[in-house]
Amino acid sequence: MANFFGLKQHLLPWLVLGGVTLLQAVSGTRFIYGTCSNLMQQRYSISRAQLNNLIVASESGRLFGWFSNAAAEFLPAPMILIIGLILGSIGYGVQYLSITNQLPFLSYWQMLLLNVLAGNSICWINTYCQLVTCKIFKNNCDTITAITSCYCGLSGKIYTSLVEGIQGKSQDSSIYLLFACLGPNLFGLPVTLLNCLEVVVDEYEETKMLPFVFVIVIATGVYAVVESIAQPFRQLSPRLRVVSLVLAVLMLPLVVAFLMVANQLITLAKWDSKVMSEEEDSKTKTKRFSIGGHRIVIMENERDGNKKEANGDENWLKLVVKSVDFWLFYWMNMCGATLGMVYLNNLKIISELQSYNDAYSLLATSSSYGFFGRIFSTIFTWYTRENSVISKPGLIMFMMLPMPVVFFMLMSSNNISLYISTGIIGSSSGAISAIIGSPITSTSTSSSSSSSSSSDQVLISLSNSVVYQPVILPTNIPIGTLIFGFLAALNYQRDGHKICFWGLKCHQFTFITWGCACSIATSLSFSLYLRSRKNNLQKT
């Protein structure tokens, strides 16, 4: 019985992690508008500019993510997930029923409201995943949370492979809305049931398993990229590709669970069970943490000396507005990572204007590279958290460098350029998004350094602060989507192959506009890096 309990303690946490990983992998639904754009335009007779407003509405729904953070203080974790699943089912499910003529025709304002609900549902699901992860993996909560969050970048790849396996190349894009409605429910409810069992992984086992986790995650990213571009994989049957991809996603928790169980069996064979139980009890007693569960609590533990100042300062808005580093960071993110999202949202019409007929493979490629970019930046941040080889502003600047170039490359109307540009934009924007949202920080951060004005500390505090992040920082995404998406929509509506300015076709002029904006973002990231380096030198 003791052996069984020991195996359960080692196996169940990683099974829950597998469920959370799959839940994240089917909840990243930003790609929906890249697949359903033409269908929505035809069904509702809306323009490209109106379609862009629907995307802005979805991103605006994420601005209310602080509701889920606040609710987590009063509601049990399963209720947080149920609320997210209900909002997502309404947001995507009603649109699917209407677009397939199973419900009456929706007005444009009803569609806007449904997209706000759909966008907000993801915040509730993410909050639940953070709560569950931090409850089980208390000692490395930041790292495990960052890794599982990376899987939301793989959603586009999973959905396109799944639809191709069911329908083949001639796809009905409305099925993406159905999967976005049902997918989180399919994996969320079993995770809730597993999470009812009280299991916690101790610090020694977490630390010992992290290298294996990193290797498996990297292998999954490499497989996703190779499977998208390698010809031998593309010649496999679509259903076989779906099965192999799902197994690759499941490989992380299952392999680690197997290793933990094997380690437990070997340990029990070597040592007396009584001695081991006493050792485990002593370990448990020495590691007691408050099970508050998510980033709010982590930030308070890491930044003890500055917690009261950060949460109790009534003039925090005034301080942020006056911060040069904040505005450099804000506009850099808007013209960088957000612009990459706008490109991916317009990927279907871009492929049509470039006379490329396989838009779904481009979407799968961007999703695979986006996932790989996320895991690269997450693992790099973890390995350099104690002694920074390169600061966060430096890493962002490095990821920004190729983006302006590839936007200008798109003017060539070449399929190879389109593929290369899509891969680079996906990986760069994914990496930047992971860096900005990563909760991984150095545990040795002191209160004096946390009050520093360096740009690196601005990135750390803004990416984890309960006040700053949900209120100010994410506003750059809907604003950037509105501006850049609207400019693109105007050019597309003029007829993409028509000459607009300086002998350029309209869609080529869009790429020039985006390239110039991305060049500005790269300059801002360089300025942010220089200010960070200057402040760090002054401290030393």
Side-chain angles (χ1 to χ4, degrees), residues 244-278:
S244 62
L245 181 63
V246 172
L247 289 177
V249 175
L250 283 171
M251 185 170 60
L252 166 63
L254 292 181
V255 171
V256 173
F258 173 79
L259 291 174
M260 291 304 304
V261 172
N263 178 72
Q264 178 71 1
L265 290 173
I266 295 172
T267 304
L268 290 174
K270 286 185 176 180
W271 301 93
D272 181 76
S273 59
K274 182 178 179 180
V275 175
M276 285 303 300
S277 63
E278 291 176 357

Side-chain angles (χ1 to χ4, degrees), residues 229-382:
I229 61 177
Q231 193 63 30
F233 283 99
R234 297 177 66 84
Q235 291 176 351
L236 296 175
S237 67
R239 293 182 181 178
L240 182 60
R241 292 172 64 187
V242 173
V243 172
S244 62
L245 181 63
V246 172
L247 289 177
V249 175
L250 283 171
M251 185 170 60
L252 166 63
L254 292 181
V255 171
V256 173
F258 173 79
L259 291 174
M260 291 304 304
V261 172
N263 178 72
Q264 178 71 1
L265 290 173
I266 295 172
T267 304
L268 290 174
K270 286 185 176 180
W271 301 93
D272 181 76
S273 59
K274 182 178 179 180
V275 175
M276 285 303 300
S277 63
E278 291 176 357
E279 183 181 347
E280 288 171 0
D281 287 342
S282 65
K283 284 181 181 179
T284 305
K285 289 177 183 177
T286 57
K287 275 293 180 184
R288 296 281 187 187
F289 289 92
S290 171
I291 311 179
H294 56 306
R295 279 183 210 181
I296 298 172
V297 177
I298 297 167
M299 176 186 170
E300 291 177 354
N301 289 336
E302 289 176 351
R303 299 171 65 98
D304 241 348
N306 201 37
K307 177 181 64 175
K308 184 176 181 181
E309 178 183 349
N311 293 331
D313 192 346
E314 297 178 356
N315 297 319
W316 63 268
L317 180 60
K318 183 178 179 180
L319 294 174
V320 171
V321 169
K322 288 184 176 181
S323 171
V324 176
D325 293 329
F326 171 78
W327 288 112
L328 287 174
F329 177 57
Y330 185 92
W331 290 105
M332 178 272 299
N333 191 41
M334 179 188 294
C335 298
T338 300
L339 183 54
M341 295 179 192
V342 174
Y343 170 80
L344 299 178
N345 287 332
N346 287 269
L347 197 54
K348 191 166 187 178
I349 189 170
I350 288 173
S351 64
E352 292 173 355
L353 293 172
Q354 299 279 60
S355 301
Y356 187 77
N357 297 324
D358 196 2
Y360 296 107
S361 67
L362 279 179
L363 178 62
T365 300
S366 67
S367 177
S368 301
Y369 277 92
F371 173 71
F372 194 81
R374 285 172 179 267
I375 61 174
F376 165 77
S377 60
T378 299
I379 294 175
F380 183 86
T381 302
W382 187 84

Side-chain angles (χ1 to χ4, degrees), residues 6-19:
L7 295 180
K8 185 184 78 170
Q9 286 291 102
H10 289 79
L11 182 62
L12 282 179
W14 299 100
L15 291 179
V16 174
L17 177 63

Side-chain angles (χ1 to χ4, degrees), residues 164-228:
E164 185 178 347
I166 296 174
Q167 296 184 338
K169 291 293 184 179
S170 56
Q171 300 180 7
D172 176 13
S173 55
S174 64
I175 197 173
Y176 287 95
L177 291 171
L178 177 62
F179 285 165
C181 170
L182 299 180
N185 290 281
L186 180 63
F187 296 106
L189 298 178
V191 171
T192 304
L193 296 177
L194 284 174
N195 191 43
C196 293
L197 300 172
E198 293 293 331
V199 287
V200 178
V201 181
D202 64 51
E203 182 179 8
Y204 173 71
E205 291 176 351
E206 286 184 30
T207 306
K208 185 171 62 175
M209 283 297 106
L210 277 178
F212 292 100
V213 172
F214 292 151
V215 170
I216 295 170
V217 171
I218 292 173
T220 304
V222 172
Y223 173 80
V225 171
V226 172
E227 197 268 346
S228 298

